[in-house]
Amino acid sequence: MSRDGIAGLAVLAASLVLFVLTLDLQDSPMVPVGPGFYPRIVLGLTALLSLGLVISDCLAQRQRRSEPPVAVATAVAAKERLNYPLVAISFGVFALYCIALPGLGFRIATFAYVVASNAVLAPPRGLKGWAGSVTLGLLTAFITWLVFERYLSVLLPRGRWTQF
Amino acid sequence: MKRFTAATTGVALLIALLPVSSALAVYPDRPIKMIVPWAAGGDTDNIFRPFAPLLQKYLGQTVVIANVGGASGTKGAKEAKDSPADGYTLFAVHDYIHSTYYTGVSDVNYTDFEPVCMISSTASVLTASPKTPWKDWAGLLADAKARPGQISVGATLGSTSHFFPALVEKAAGIKFKYVSYEGLAPRMNAILGGHIDLTDANMTQKGKVEAGQLKFFAIATEKRNPELPNLPTLKELGVNVVYDVNRGVMVSKGTPADVIAKLESSCAAAAKEPAYAQAMKLQATDVRYMGRKPYAEWLKDNDELNKNLAKDLGLLKR
Amino acid sequence: MFELLGAGIVNVLQFKYLIPLFVGTLIGVVGGALPGITITMTIIVVLPFTFGLEPLQGLSAMIGVYVGGETGGLITSCLLGIPGKPSAVATTFDGFPMAKKGEPGRALWLGIWASIFGGLLGAVFLVATTGPLARIALQFGPWEFFSLFVLALSMVAGLVEASLAKGLVAGALGMIVTILGNDPVMGQKRLTLGIPMLEGGIDFLPVLIGVFAFAQIMSEVERMGGAHKAIDAVQRGVSLAVSHLKIILEIVSRPLLLLWSTFIGLAIGVLPAIGGSAANMLAYDQAKKFSRHPEKFGTGTPEGIIASEASNNANVAGSLVTIMAFGIPGDAVTAVMLGALTIHGIQSGPLFIVQNATLAYGMFAAYIVAHALVLAILLVGVRWMLRIVEIPKATLFPVVLVLCTIGAYALSNTMSNVYVLLVFGLFGYAMVKFGFPLAPFILGVILGDQIEINLIRAIMTDANPWLFLTRPISGSLLVLSVASLAFAIWQHYRQRARVATEVEADF
């Protein structure tokens, strides 16, 4: 089974679980159809569609098997190698930022995030490189703070631990 | 380049340190958000929009209106309830807070808030689509008796716009069919297109009657409104219903007393502004100011009243 | 109508609106020129700035970004041979060869002037059709709206990707996002999965920001860290000076090409959720088919540049029509605009133009004035654009993500929206990796609640379910949506004979 089939199975499972959950929903006092009416339609439809995706993938799989697999292999080899660890680390740093934001406050967390993320994406060389990262972090944190809080009356999170 | 970097870093640090000194300043030291739990262009929005800049004048901080519509106005109520009790989130409320609680639409009750002030009172008007065949109340009544449960009414379910037609229903001995349309603005769209027959509106929509986009049948006051002297009251027509919607400002429970006091005094001053009276005249709404204490008393009475109404109408779910 | 437009232009020319419009246009031109930064991403970055502004100020800034971005993309396309954004891909085919042949100025300004002509022709269409279309839409009851939204979804699912099943599943997943938390009619809790944060439902903007920003940025990050390809750029010292009159003549002397490309751009724009990336390729293809010398395409022929650039600017006008008359976003950029309208509590849809005439005509005016601003910006600054393009991605991406975070947070001043951003960022990236199109997903998220509300309203107004088919407008819309699905299936079978090619995700 290829990635389509796997994705289809995952969606099928999720929609079935949610469908079962809608069965517990109570009807609403003022609306002729309860809050579960539309979700059941959507989830039923999704389940059918994802089932279709799985089936068509299996059929395509059989067809593919009958053909020589050379074309597929070369296509994979031709694809450039992708840097997945960097993607994972980038997501990780951003997740940490989201978690730290309410605790550290916008300014500190943003400064730390920008420096860290910049350093991950392009490892700074020497003191000058780090100075560049730190400057970028400071500028981003404080210019956005200034513009949003002072001029646009958009309030940004203050730190629960730092009161800053 | 290096000197430039150092200089900008220095400036940035300086900017960073500035707000620390002002953090200890007295309330309010930053902009205040006012949650209007309905779409813009509705009546609640029309009443609080002119009020906000006046309130801002006395508070000395920007008051930003945030329209948080959805789920019979309870989405905004939930957001207001969950906001920190620091006086930076105000809640523009009306009587629906009681009705949605008793009809089981929402778990948020008026007791989840601290009242600040009441600012206005708007009478309900029974309104019909221009595409309906009836010329007046008598025509509607005859048709409604002939076709029970067929005439559609657009309403925010469980809210004041549901209660008012329900009271009319009961008093006149007829039966309507209700369709969910959140807030006055979408109801006006639907009634314009003829997708619903009747709705609860108020004098804020007077302009549309003159333009032939709506038909007013009757107003739910004791006496006729001087702005539209030709419009009969429901009482005159033999339907004993008097109904109005009262709007005020609340904050989260637990907001410090000095913050509420500051809000109350600003609110009182803003409500006395001639500009406010002028704006309310345009909306054909009465200025009805009540301070914190009388408003709290009034809320208690009104809550009891709404509970009984819900019970009478068979909508009570608590 | 046109006096209202005149008043709108006078209104927008006030400093209060002109400054956000100018800043937006400038950011748009820069964002459009930066490879790896799409217009969608640029507009997401601008979004939080508009929270604190008046509605027309914020929308002016966004329209500026949109128009500026469509034009800015051609700079990198022509001079570096890398498309600044998907909707300028076709411009590289002829723009870069022409620039390499020693005529970079001609390539660049042909593109810029074609953009402006295409855009202004689009403006005529925008102003002339939005009102009448909105009047038609005013007759729409809940049945018609339900069917219209269903049509929009099925069209997008069918047209965006080669695989219809995946497009439909993506759309359905978007609708599932809207059923979580509570129901939009009575606010009753449902499917909260035990997460208190979900009780209020999920706002569509953090989902949109997360999906688009992360899918795009992480797809770039994947390719970082490896050996960089040397850029075969046009030398910096070369002169870009041209005779503008000659260039304008060159475009105007091909009226049919200009009009047809503009028409294609508009048509693609009006169709929901298909952006300029489809418009410029289609227009280029058409220009090649109708040309007397198709063999010259790809070697630096002016027709190729004109077709691509006129169509992608006209596409903006088409998208604005759909959002203003029906409240359906024409692409991801207008979806963000729809969000900005919602934040200011303005409902887009048939009554928008009537109830908010000043705002609507202000938006038309901003669209027109933005073209003049783009021209001014490029006349002065085209030289510096090449420098700005050299900003490293490692610098850009963290700043962009910080602004995305602010955008999500400031929507309702809660962290929960930031967590939504993170979760859907991961989800969006996974969708791209599994080859699911993003456009139907986003449209599903945006329209899900509206579909439900209109369905329930229809049932409450009349219990007869056949009304969806027997009401003429509603019925024909549903027939059209079935037809669009059938067409997609037919096309799918036709294409199966050809080699299945991996299509780049459409942002």
Side-chain angles (χ1 to χ4, degrees):
Chain A
M1 197 174 280
S2 78
R3 57 174 195 176
D4 284 13
I6 297 166
L9 278 181
V11 175
L12 182 63
S15 50
L16 288 179
V17 168
L18 286 174
F19 193 94
V20 170
L21 287 177
T22 62
L23 299 178
D24 295 340
L25 290 174
Q26 303 264 307
D27 269 4
S28 143
M30 282 165 242
V31 183
V33 291
F37 175 71
Y38 171 79
R40 270 171 232 146
I41 296 177
V42 170
L43 292 166
L45 203 68
T46 316
L48 281 180
L49 288 170
S50 51
L51 192 66
L53 188 62
V54 174
I55 292 171
S56 75
D57 185 57
C58 290
L59 291 178
Q61 190 82 9
R62 200 172 298 161
Q63 208 169 29
R64 243 173 279 153
R65 218 170 281 152
S66 57
E67 289 163 14
V70 188
V72 182
T74 46
V76 171
K79 240 183 186 177
E80 57 184 315
R81 278 194 40 215
L82 298 176
N83 195 346
Y84 285 119
L86 193 61
V87 173
I89 296 171
S90 299
F91 265 120
V93 175
F94 186 76
L96 280 179
Y97 173 52
C98 292
I99 293 162
L101 204 51
L104 291 177
F106 177 80
R107 282 164 286 188
I108 298 172
T110 301
F111 167 71
Y113 167 70
V114 173
V115 173
S117 175
N118 181 249
V120 164
L121 291 175
R125 285 188 210 115
L127 203 61
K128 212 170 164 188
W130 280 108
S133 279
V134 169
T135 315
L136 179 70
L138 280 175
L139 284 178
T140 313
F142 299 121
I143 290 175
T144 46
W145 176 270
L146 187 76
V147 170
F148 282 99
E149 287 261 327
R150 288 288 156 101
Y151 296 108
L152 295 172
S153 355
V154 170
L155 310 177
L156 299 172
R158 275 164 180 74
R160 203 182 306 125
W161 310 325
T162 54
Q163 294 302 316
F164 178 63
Chain B
M1 185 66 197
K2 207 176 240 171
R3 189 177 293 165
F4 170 75
T5 313
T8 41
T9 315
V11 170
L13 274 174
L14 210 69
I15 293 164
L17 292 173
L18 275 173
V20 178
S21 50
S22 62
L24 300 167
V26 281
Y27 173 86
D29 68 340
R30 55 192 160 94
I32 294 162
K33 179 163 86 171
M34 182 186 269
I35 294 179
V36 171
W38 320 92
D43 41 3
T44 309
D45 188 66
N46 283 342
I47 285 166
F48 280 94
R49 282 226 181 244
F51 185 68
L54 301 172
L55 190 61
Q56 174 174 329
K57 185 168 141 194
Y58 291 101
L59 281 172
Q61 278 290 346
T62 320
V63 178
V64 189
I65 290 196
N67 296 88
V68 185
S72 291
T74 57
K75 199 171 174 190
K78 260 183 212 134
E79 190 177 318
K81 182 191 161 196
D82 294 340
S83 62
D86 54 8
Y88 287 100
T89 310
L90 310 182
F91 179 36
V93 71
H94 72 59
D95 303 350
Y96 87 103
I97 194 81
H98 310 292
S99 50
T100 49
Y101 179 73
Y102 286 114
T103 51
V105 173
S106 144
D107 296 330
V108 183
N109 197 357
Y110 81 102
T111 48
D112 293 319
F113 300 95
E114 301 272 4
V116 174
C117 60
M118 183 199 276
I119 64 162
S120 77
S121 168
T122 315
S124 287
V125 178
L126 189 65
T127 308
S129 162
K131 299 196 174 169
T132 53
W134 322 302
K135 291 216 164 51
D136 52 13
W137 164 253
L140 165 65
L141 187 65
D143 198 19
K145 288 220 156 118
R147 299 188 297 139
Q150 295 286 306
I151 291 165
S152 60
V153 179
T156 308
L157 298 180
S159 178
T160 52
S161 58
H162 188 181
F163 269 39
F164 170 59
L167 284 168
V168 173
E169 227 178 1
K170 196 165 188 295
I174 47 180
K175 195 99 192 77
F176 295 137
K177 170 171 69 180
Y178 292 93
V179 183
S180 160
Y181 279 92
E182 290 281 322
L184 187 66
R187 282 207 297 281
M188 287 298 117
N189 295 357
I191 213 156
L192 256 161
H195 307 301
I196 47 175
D197 300 324
L198 287 178
T199 192
D200 151 63
N202 51 49
M203 296 295 279
T204 57
Q205 306 300 320
K206 197 179 63 172
K208 293 203 180 96
V209 176
E210 282 148 14
Q213 295 172 319
L214 295 176
K215 292 193 272 193
F216 274 2
F217 281 171
I219 187 164
T221 45
E222 297 281 354
K223 280 191 210 120
R224 290 193 177 201
N225 190 301
E227 297 281 328
L228 269 184
N230 291 329
L231 183 67
T233 65
L234 278 168
K235 272 196 154 171
E236 288 172 39
L237 297 167
V239 183
N240 191 11
V241 173
V242 173
Y243 197 78
D244 52 18
V245 177
N246 303 282
R247 293 180 167 83
V249 177
M250 295 186 183
V251 288
S252 281
K253 192 104 200 155
T255 303
D258 55 324
V259 169
I260 297 181
K262 170 76 185 164
L263 280 169
E264 188 192 4
S265 64
S266 308
C267 191
K272 282 195 192 83
E273 284 271 324
Y276 176 63
Q278 185 59 34
M280 288 308 104
K281 194 164 184 288
L282 284 176
Q283 299 294 334
T285 287
D286 299 328
V287 175
R288 186 178 188 187
Y289 178 77
M290 274 186 203
R292 189 181 160 189
K293 282 251 163 57
Y295 187 33
E297 296 284 320
W298 182 91
L299 279 169
K300 220 167 132 193
D301 293 346
N302 196 39
D303 189 58
E304 198 57 35
L305 190 72
N306 270 282
K307 190 177 176 179
N308 291 331
L309 273 178
K311 203 168 163 189
D312 287 351
L313 298 171
L315 297 169
L316 188 69
K317 289 286 175 295
R318 257 173 234 279
Chain C
M1 183 168 68
F2 283 96
E3 51 269 40
L4 275 169
L5 182 65
I9 290 182
V10 172
N11 194 15
V12 166
L13 286 178
Q14 294 175 69
F15 270 120
K16 201 167 123 192
Y17 301 116
L18 198 59
I19 289 175
L21 181 61
F22 177 79
V23 174
T25 314
L26 185 64
I27 294 175
V29 171
V30 173
L34 286 168
I37 302 282
T38 53
I39 303 175
T40 311
M41 207 131 83
T42 317
I43 211 147
I44 285 172
V45 163
V46 170
L47 174 73
F49 292 97
T50 65
F51 292 168
L53 300 175
E54 267 182 44
L56 185 54
Q57 288 177 316
L59 286 163
S60 295
M62 292 186 145
I63 288 172
V65 171
Y66 204 175
V67 173
E70 289 293 356
T71 314
L74 70 94
I75 300 171
T76 23
S77 295
C78 289
L79 302 184
L80 303 182
I82 330 164
K85 62 200 160 59
S87 58
V89 172
T91 314
T92 54
F93 299 162
D94 280 299
F96 190 49
M98 185 188 274
K100 276 216 293 195
K101 275 198 274 179
E103 289 183 300
R106 182 167 167 233
L108 196 63
W109 284 103
L110 263 176
I112 295 170
W113 281 109
S115 289
I116 285 167
F117 282 119
L120 291 180
L121 283 172
V124 175
F125 176 80
L126 171 66
V127 177
T129 55
T130 309
L133 275 178
R135 262 194 296 286
I136 295 172
L138 194 55
Q139 301 307 317
F140 280 28
W143 302 271
E144 283 77 20
F145 274 115
F146 173 83
S147 306
L148 179 70
F149 296 146
V150 169
L151 171 64
L153 261 176
S154 56
M155 242 162 46
V156 170
L159 288 176
V160 166
E161 183 97 347
S163 161
L164 176 67
K166 277 178 158 180
L168 287 173
V169 170
L173 283 173
M175 284 157 83
I176 289 184
V177 172
T178 66
I179 62 174
L180 299 177
N182 59 17
D183 85 294
V185 179
M186 300 298 291
Q188 271 180 296
K189 272 182 226 165
R190 71 179 181 202
L191 305 176
T192 56
L193 310 174
I195 307 167
M197 207 178 86
L198 270 182
E199 272 170 27
I202 300 173
D203 274 329
F204 86 82
L205 267 178
V207 175
L208 188 149
I209 297 173
V211 165
F212 279 111
F214 282 92
Q216 171 73 36
I217 286 181
M218 290 307 169
S219 300
E220 295 282 335
V221 168
E222 277 174 357
R223 302 198 184 95
M224 286 170 79
H228 284 284
K229 275 181 242 162
I231 296 173
D232 185 16
V234 172
Q235 284 206 323
R236 211 185 266 156
V238 98
S239 163
L240 295 175
V242 283
S243 152
H244 289 287
L245 198 66
K246 231 171 96 188
I247 301 265
I248 294 173
L249 272 176
E250 211 171 339
I251 297 169
V252 178
S253 65
R254 295 177 175 89
L256 277 179
L257 174 72
L258 182 64
L259 284 176
W260 187 237
S261 309
T262 306
F263 174 76
I264 290 173
L266 284 170
I268 296 277
V270 169
L271 295 180
I274 311 162
S277 45
N280 77 110
M281 295 300 279
L282 190 61
Y284 185 85
D285 198 44
Q286 290 279 308
K288 197 172 168 181
K289 264 186 199 150
F290 288 131
S291 170
R292 251 169 282 154
H293 42 79
E295 71 287 350
K296 280 195 185 163
F297 274 75
T299 60
T301 181
E303 279 97 336
I305 305 176
I306 296 171
S308 167
E309 284 303 316
S311 70
N312 71 22
N313 268 55
N315 171 67
V316 177
S319 293
L320 287 175
V321 170
T322 328
I323 196 173
M324 286 169 82
F326 296 102
I328 300 177
D331 59 8
V333 182
T334 36
V336 182
M337 282 191 194
L338 184 71
L341 282 172
T342 328
I343 291 160
H344 288 289
I346 297 160
Q347 276 189 317
S348 79
L351 277 181
F352 173 75
I353 194 163
V354 184
Q355 287 180 337
N356 304 284
T358 325
L359 184 58
Y361 281 90
M363 282 168 76
F364 293 155
Y367 176 73
I368 293 167
V369 174
H371 282 89
L373 292 176
V374 167
L375 193 61
I377 289 169
L378 291 179
L379 278 172
V380 177
V382 77
R383 255 185 186 268
W384 298 329
M385 284 302 157
L386 285 179
R387 280 247 176 125
I388 290 170
V389 167
E390 287 170 5
I391 296 177
K393 285 176 184 166
T395 306
L396 223 45
F397 289 164
V399 178
V400 168
L401 286 181
V402 165
L403 287 167
C404 290
T405 312
I406 296 177
Y409 175 81
L411 272 177
S412 54
N413 285 333
T414 49
M415 278 307 290
S416 56
N417 278 337
V418 178
Y419 303 134
V420 170
L421 174 82
L422 174 65
V423 168
F424 280 93
L426 281 164
F427 187 76
Y429 181 65
M431 278 183 74
V432 171
K433 286 284 114 185
F434 278 94
F436 282 91
L438 297 178
F441 173 74
I442 285 301
L443 204 65
V445 178
I446 292 171
L447 295 182
D449 271 353
Q450 285 302 316
I451 292 178
E452 174 166 13
I453 289 172
N454 281 294
L455 177 66
I456 304 279
R457 268 180 199 164
I459 293 172
M460 289 178 87
T461 316
D462 203 317
N464 179 7
W466 295 107
L467 279 175
F468 285 104
L469 288 171
T470 52
R471 285 179 67 107
I473 301 178
S474 170
S476 28
L477 289 169
L478 284 181
V479 168
L480 271 178
S481 61
V482 172
S484 78
L485 289 182
F487 175 75
I489 293 171
W490 173 73
Q491 213 179 23
H492 183 68
Y493 274 102
R494 211 184 48 162
Q495 274 181 351
R496 214 176 230 183
R498 303 182 200 167
V499 185
T501 45
E502 199 82 347
V503 185
E504 187 86 9
D506 183 2
F507 295 106

